[in-house]
Amino acid sequence: MPAIGSTAPARRASAELLAEARARTLLLVSPLSEPDMQREDEQGLGSVLSELERILRFELETLLGESLHQPVTSYDGWFDLMGEVRERVLHRLEAVDPSDEPAQLGRVRMVLEHEYQRNESILEILQNQGEPYQPLEKRKLPRGRRLADPGMMVRFPGGTVLVGASESVWPQECPSHQLKLPPFWIDITPVTNGDFMTFMGEGGYESRELWSEPGWRWLRTSHERMPRHWSWQDGLWWCRSLGRDAAVDFTAPVIHVSYYEAEAFARFVGKRLPSEFEWEAAAGWDPETQTRRQFPWGNMQPTPHVANLDQLAFAPASVGAFPGNISPIGCYGMIGDAWEWTASDFLPYPNSEPWPGNTVGELSPGVKVLRGGSWATRAGAVRVWTRRALPPEARHVFAGFRCARDG
């Protein structure tokens, strides 16, 4: 997301970004009926209306210092209240005292990124509910191309790297700090549906030796035997995407798999999952110049021509569709298409500030870190240091993985 500085033009730019974020929220929910918005997800993800209420509540608390005193019971009620709150927010922004302007613009940035995150949660709920969704606007994806043989890896030479964010609205991403990494190898491309099908076909879900103890317990309880939303019909593999069935694209990154499934696949191919710091170094650290990039391709903000982000494709692209999405060491697609599981637990960085509960949720043992964003992630909500926390059994997110091994 573009940096928000101080001065009146920056305040106007902030107001424009707030308006753009709200317009996207409205675009996503406009095809839905009132019952669609109020339908509670069976897996406990909430409803679309509950996500809209979270957007409103966060803006009210963060930018006006007030609490939401009335329940949101309908979309029309939310829309009216949202308009009233936004009018007051813009008035407050225009009249902000110069001494408080940097802090207020920082709070605006937090509200923006929070709404971006809630947009992705809305899409996850719609995907999980399985009802047909007809977007009002849809972007056509470019065709993929072969960049490397399946499972081909590139070596990171090791050394001292910079990880974490020097500045972020989310304390779990800070502070930036130096870390010494030993050499390691990492997959050039994410694991595809075709790769994962090999794991399935060769008994990966039945091979006890591939699964960790908690992973095997999860498997025996869940009885899963394929990625979520897959089915076998008429001699073909199908995947349900936002309520519509399509043949599985063998060249696209596998998604809707848990950490346990990713871990088992890695063992199946004689590898492991990367740590989050290995992932970040492979995505953004340039060993030749000893510098760090915000994105794999450089510091230029994401556009629809370089990465599959920003929601409007409504699906991951085939591997190779965005050949410019290459990291300094040659890893493809580390931003966009699919979040990627890492082996790391979601823990604070050294010397980090306390984490407010309303930004990261409840922290519990065993929660894993995902990196990289997905097609459903807004471009302003992800960089190489962005962290997402989820329990290892989560399969509702647009998440896949790539593998690593010691160097």
Side-chain angles (χ1 to χ4, degrees):
M1 188 180 77
I4 300 176
S6 184
T7 71
R11 293 201 298 272
R12 288 194 293 272
S14 297
E16 291 172 359
L17 287 169
L18 286 169
E20 191 277 338
R22 189 56 43 83
R24 174 56 62 81
T25 299
L26 296 176
L27 180 71
L28 291 179
V29 303
S30 290
L32 305 176
S33 66
E34 185 69 38
D36 290 335
M37 294 195 195
Q38 299 211 22
R39 184 181 298 112
E40 290 287 334
D41 180 80
E42 295 179 355
Q43 303 297 321
L45 301 181
S47 66
V48 171
L49 188 62
S50 69
E51 290 298 323
L52 295 178
E53 181 176 340
R54 291 179 70 182
I55 290 172
L56 176 62
R57 187 185 303 276
F58 193 82
E59 181 170 342
L60 190 64
E61 293 175 350
T62 305
L63 296 183
L64 296 178
E66 302 175 14
S67 298
L68 185 62
H69 297 300
Q70 59 192 88
V72 175
T73 58
S74 69
Y75 175 73
D76 287 344
W78 173 83
F79 189 91
D80 292 342
L81 188 54
M82 174 271 295
E84 182 266 326
V85 168
R86 177 53 59 86
E87 183 176 356
R88 292 168 56 204
V89 163
L90 294 178
H91 178 75
R92 176 76 62 88
L93 184 61
E94 187 62 31
V96 66
D97 186 276
S99 64
D100 188 48
E101 185 177 340
Q104 181 71 350
L105 293 178
R107 290 189 286 269
V108 167
R109 180 175 168 181
M110 180 178 287
V111 167
L112 280 169
E113 293 201 24
H114 179 263
E115 186 154 356
Y116 297 160
Q117 293 169 2
R118 302 277 64 78
N119 283 179
E120 185 159 5
S121 295
I122 287 171
L123 290 167
E124 290 168 354
I125 290 171
L126 294 174
Q127 169 68 20
N128 205 51
Q129 289 178 345
E131 298 296 325
Y133 173 77
Q134 185 62 49
L136 298 183
E137 181 180 340
K138 189 172 183 179
R139 180 185 303 133
K140 186 177 180 179
L141 288 167
R143 297 180 64 180
R145 64 194 72 183
R146 189 180 183 91
L147 297 176
D149 292 334
M152 189 172 179
M153 309 184 85
V154 64
R155 187 175 185 268
F156 186 85
T160 300
V161 302
L162 187 67
V163 295
S166 58
E167 181 181 356
S168 173
V169 297
W170 309 118
Q172 67 267 29
E173 297 177 357
C174 297
S176 60
H177 54 287
Q178 290 188 325
L179 186 73
K180 189 171 184 179
L181 290 176
F184 63 91
W185 292 82
I186 188 165
D187 287 350
I188 291 176
T189 62
V191 172
T192 65
N193 290 320
D195 300 331
F196 200 81
M197 197 165 294
T198 300
F199 168 77
M200 294 165 54
E202 296 192 17
Y205 280 97
E206 290 77 38
S207 300
R208 172 65 184 88
E209 67 275 11
L210 299 178
W211 297 80
S212 65
E213 186 61 39
W216 188 247
R217 286 198 302 269
W218 169 81
L219 187 64
R220 294 182 67 185
T221 301
S222 66
H223 306 292
E224 300 293 354
R225 289 299 182 270
M226 64 190 72
R228 194 170 195 175
H229 308 297
W230 280 31
S231 62
W232 175 258
Q233 303 173 37
D234 303 322
L236 292 174
W237 285 104
W238 297 83
C239 179
R240 175 156 286 237
S241 178
L242 293 172
R244 300 182 184 279
D245 288 329
V248 170
D249 179 358
F250 294 164
T251 66
V254 66
I255 57 174
H256 299 303
V257 291
S258 69
Y259 169 84
Y260 296 132
E261 290 163 289
E263 183 184 46
F265 177 95
R267 287 200 183 97
F268 171 73
V269 293
K271 303 177 184 179
R272 58 175 174 80
L273 295 180
S275 72
E276 64 167 317
F277 297 127
E278 288 175 332
W279 190 100
E280 185 174 333
W285 184 256
D286 188 334
E288 290 190 11
T289 63
Q290 292 291 292
T291 57
R292 195 258 299 270
R293 302 175 178 180
Q294 292 187 59
F295 307 99
W297 55 84
N299 294 318
M300 179 186 71
Q301 296 294 314
T303 71
H305 304 292
V306 74
N308 185 16
L309 290 164
D310 222 34
Q311 304 169 336
L312 297 184
F314 292 97
S318 297
V319 169
F322 297 89
N325 192 348
I326 296 286
S327 77
I329 65 168
C331 289
Y332 167 81
M334 298 192 79
I335 293 287
D337 282 314
W339 289 95
E340 296 186 11
W341 288 104
T342 74
S344 298
D345 290 341
F346 190 61
L347 300 172
Y349 290 162
N351 303 313
S352 65
E353 297 179 3
W355 294 356
N358 63 354
T359 63
V360 297
E362 294 295 327
L363 187 64
S364 58
V367 170
K368 295 296 182 180
V369 176
L370 296 95
R371 296 294 197 111
S374 75
W375 64 262
T377 306
R378 295 228 56 193
V382 65
R383 303 155 193 85
V384 297
W385 52 75
T386 300
R387 310 171 81 198
R388 183 173 183 181
L390 284 172
E393 66 273 13
R395 303 174 94 219
H396 66 277
V397 294
F398 307 105
F401 61 100
R402 72 182 69 217
C403 301
R405 63 177 172 84
D406 295 345

